């Protein structure tokens, strides 16, 4: 059996790639899928913090690629979900530590271990790390903020996904592209201060797979090292759950994209 | 007056500005996507040559690269300025006066 490989990418930094990788991987595990999430950001390891396993990293991705540790030794088992594993990035400063052959070996190894999904958390930019993260992907989740530089960069990334991936080079059919709009603020959209879901969809020419509202729960979750999807009471958590369901083929309407209607008391007293 | 202005102040609806700017830049970048890396350099050199005859700036030169099945099309258009100085030379290729 071959694992489905999903790259989480964006071009621009700070738009929520690692937050998204952590929540998608956790959501897939919650849905019963054996899932691994890999941090491709060599030199700037961070997924471990968001997943809350930073003190349990012994071996990392580069150790496996260089044969200094086995895949089994390097995979960190999640505390909450038995079928969820993390492979941390190396803190080495050597940018050439990862190779295409090395990455392929690790991904093949994960398939052999019976993993159904592998999430590749891409570094920002379009350099080697980002290229390697997307190269073997079957699906791509392009994380975009409703903001000009992020939208432009994601269009660059969509172009690269269509040309610089194994699927594109070998003519194996395109990488499935999913657009995920994060840090969405419906109130600012309503008064014309922020690009809307429709604007972003029209500019980039693809539909969104999910919209994650700007939420204070995201910071709380990262402070605690618990992916926000685990916080089922939060809107961001619920929006990520919807996104995972859609990736798995379920149809769900978008939530949290409109300004909530104020109740009578709120209208009278404000707030 | 200042206080009244402040009270009346409405947030500017800048999303429409963002949308228009993005539409244009995304379309432009898509049109040169997959094009050879030498394109910007070639554009600058062409500009130098054209400048010998006509006074134009960089924005007057538009390069489009298209890939059809089997063949590639490099389309170059130069917008010549209005007025007398434009008459010094004849620009070849797809040229229009605007």
């Amino acid at each position: 059996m071959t694992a489905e490989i999903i790259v989480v990418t964006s071009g621009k930094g700070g738009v929520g790639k690692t937050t998204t990788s952590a929540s998608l991987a956790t959501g897939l595990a919650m849905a019963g899928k054996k899932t691994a999430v890999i941090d491709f950001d060599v030199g700037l390891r961070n997924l471990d913090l968001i997943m809350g396993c930073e003190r349990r990293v012994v071996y990392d991705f580069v150790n496996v690629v260089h044969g200094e540790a086995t895949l089994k030794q390097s995979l960190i088992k999640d505390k909450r979900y038995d079928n969820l594993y993390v492979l941390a990035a190396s803190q080495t400063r050597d940018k050439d530590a990862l190779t295409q052959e090395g990455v392929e070996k690790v991904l093949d190894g994960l398939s052999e271990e019976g993993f159904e999904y592998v999430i590749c958390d891409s570094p920002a930019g379009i350099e080697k790390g980002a290229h390697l993260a997307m190269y073997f992907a079957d699906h791509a989740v392009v994380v975009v903020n409703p903001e000009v530089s992020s939208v432009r960069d994601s269009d660059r990334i969509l172009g690269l996904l269509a040309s610089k991936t194994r699927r594109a080079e070998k003519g194996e059919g395109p990488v499935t592209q999913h657009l995920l709009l994060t840090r969405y603020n419906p109130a600012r959209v309503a008064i014309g201060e922020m690009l809307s879901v429709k604007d972003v969809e029209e500019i980039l020419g693809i539909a969104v797979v999910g919209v994650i509202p700007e939420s204070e729960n995201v910071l709380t979750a990262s402070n605690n090292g618990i992916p926000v999807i685990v916080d089922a009471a939060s809107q961001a958590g619920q929006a990520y759950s919807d996104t995972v369901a859609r990736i798995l083929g379920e149809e769900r309407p978008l939530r949290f994209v409109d300004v909530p209607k104020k109740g009578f008391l709120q209208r009278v007293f404000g707030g | 007056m200042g206080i009244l202005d402040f009270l009346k102040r409405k947030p500017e609806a800048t999303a429409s500005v963002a949308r228009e700017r993005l539409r244009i830049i995304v379309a432009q970048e898509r049109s040169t996507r997959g094009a050879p890396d030498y394109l910007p350099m070639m554009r600058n050199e062409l500009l130098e040559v054209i400048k010998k005859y006509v006074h134009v700036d960089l924005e007057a030169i538009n390069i489009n690269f298209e890939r059809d099945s089997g063949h590639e099309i490099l389309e170059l258009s130069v917008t010549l300025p209005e007025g007398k100085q434009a008459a010094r030379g004849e620009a070849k290729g797809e040229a229009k006066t605007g």
Side-chain angles (χ1 to χ4, degrees):
Chain A
M1 205 198 73
T2 316
E4 294 280 322
I5 298 165
I6 304 177
V7 60
V8 176
T9 182
S10 69
K12 191 174 183 296
V15 296
K17 280 184 298 296
T18 301
T19 299
T20 297
S21 297
S23 278
L24 293 188
T26 306
L28 288 166
M30 287 160 98
K33 309 289 182 189
K34 189 173 180 185
T35 305
V37 55
I38 308 178
D39 190 347
F40 273 76
D41 205 346
V42 172
L44 293 169
R45 173 197 291 169
N46 270 322
L47 178 68
D48 54 337
L49 274 176
I50 304 302
M51 294 293 293
C53 64
E54 70 277 8
R55 294 181 61 191
R56 291 190 290 139
V57 178
V58 181
Y59 297 110
D60 59 52
F61 194 9
V62 171
N63 292 138
V64 187
V65 167
H66 289 180
E68 294 150 4
T70 64
L71 191 51
K72 270 190 175 165
Q73 286 175 313
S74 311
L75 286 169
I76 306 160
K77 193 173 177 180
D78 186 72
K79 279 177 288 189
R80 289 169 209 86
Y81 301 95
D82 283 343
N83 50 355
L84 178 59
Y85 293 81
V86 179
L87 185 53
S90 168
Q91 285 291 47
T92 173
R93 275 178 291 171
D94 178 12
K95 280 190 174 177
D96 297 320
L98 289 183
T99 59
Q100 194 157 296
E101 298 71 35
V103 172
E104 186 171 24
K105 195 180 77 178
V106 170
L107 294 175
D108 287 347
L110 289 168
S111 284
E112 282 163 27
E113 292 290 326
F115 279 90
E116 292 165 274
Y117 284 91
V118 178
I119 306 283
C120 301
D121 182 19
S122 173
I126 51 173
E127 301 291 313
K128 193 177 179 190
H131 169 73
L132 287 175
M134 73 166 66
Y135 188 73
F136 297 100
D138 300 303
H139 309 271
V141 173
V142 178
V143 183
V144 60
N145 289 170
E147 177 272 325
V148 286
S149 49
S150 175
V151 174
R152 180 202 211 168
D153 285 1
S154 52
D155 192 61
R156 272 306 287 287
I157 290 293
L158 291 170
L160 293 175
L161 286 166
S163 59
K164 308 279 183 202
T165 52
R166 180 169 67 175
R167 282 182 160 272
E169 284 176 7
K170 300 212 166 157
E172 292 168 352
V175 176
T176 323
Q177 297 175 344
H178 304 284
L179 191 65
L180 183 68
L181 191 53
T182 61
R183 298 209 168 148
Y184 195 68
N185 187 328
R188 298 194 74 183
V189 172
I191 54 174
E193 279 188 352
M194 185 182 267
L195 292 167
S196 68
V197 179
K198 194 166 151 265
D199 289 339
V200 177
E201 287 183 328
E202 277 177 9
I203 292 161
L204 295 175
I206 65 173
V208 296
V209 72
V211 177
I212 314 297
E214 195 171 42
S215 157
E216 46 199 56
N217 303 102
V218 173
L219 180 61
T220 310
S222 80
N223 286 344
N224 289 326
I226 302 168
V228 71
I229 198 170
V230 176
D231 182 1
S234 72
Q235 291 193 350
Q238 292 173 39
Y240 272 119
S241 295
D242 287 351
T243 305
V244 171
R246 291 189 200 106
I247 289 173
L248 289 171
E250 210 179 296
E251 273 191 37
R252 287 195 186 184
L254 287 179
R255 289 193 279 174
F256 320 119
V257 290
D258 296 311
V259 186
K261 288 204 176 72
K262 285 185 177 178
F264 174 72
L265 287 177
Q266 272 179 309
R267 247 184 284 172
V268 174
F269 297 107
Chain B
M1 209 165 76
I3 292 169
L4 283 178
D5 278 353
F6 175 75
L7 288 174
K8 280 184 203 161
R9 193 181 73 94
K10 279 185 185 169
E12 279 182 79
T14 49
S16 54
V17 179
R19 186 173 57 227
E20 286 318 305
R21 291 174 61 213
L22 278 168
R23 269 202 189 127
I24 294 164
I25 194 69
V26 165
Q28 189 194 319
E29 286 177 348
R30 281 183 184 179
S31 72
T32 51
R33 185 178 288 166
D37 291 340
Y38 60 71
L39 228 55
M41 228 158 67
M42 191 173 82
R43 180 169 144 157
N44 281 335
E45 279 185 46
L46 282 167
L47 178 71
E48 291 308 311
V49 174
I50 293 167
K51 262 186 174 171
K52 282 185 189 171
Y53 303 94
V54 200
H55 183 76
V56 291
D57 53 31
L58 193 60
E59 274 152 40
I61 301 182
N62 214 335
I63 294 184
N64 251 318
F65 188 84
E66 273 175 52
R67 197 168 274 157
D68 270 348
S69 51
H71 63 286
E72 291 160 347
I73 304 168
L74 183 66
E75 194 184 85
L76 174 77
S77 80
V78 183
T79 310
L80 297 178
E82 281 180 86
K84 281 176 193 165
Q85 79 259 46
R88 274 179 61 195
E90 216 176 76
K92 298 239 168 146
E94 204 190 297
K96 58 183 179 203
T97 311

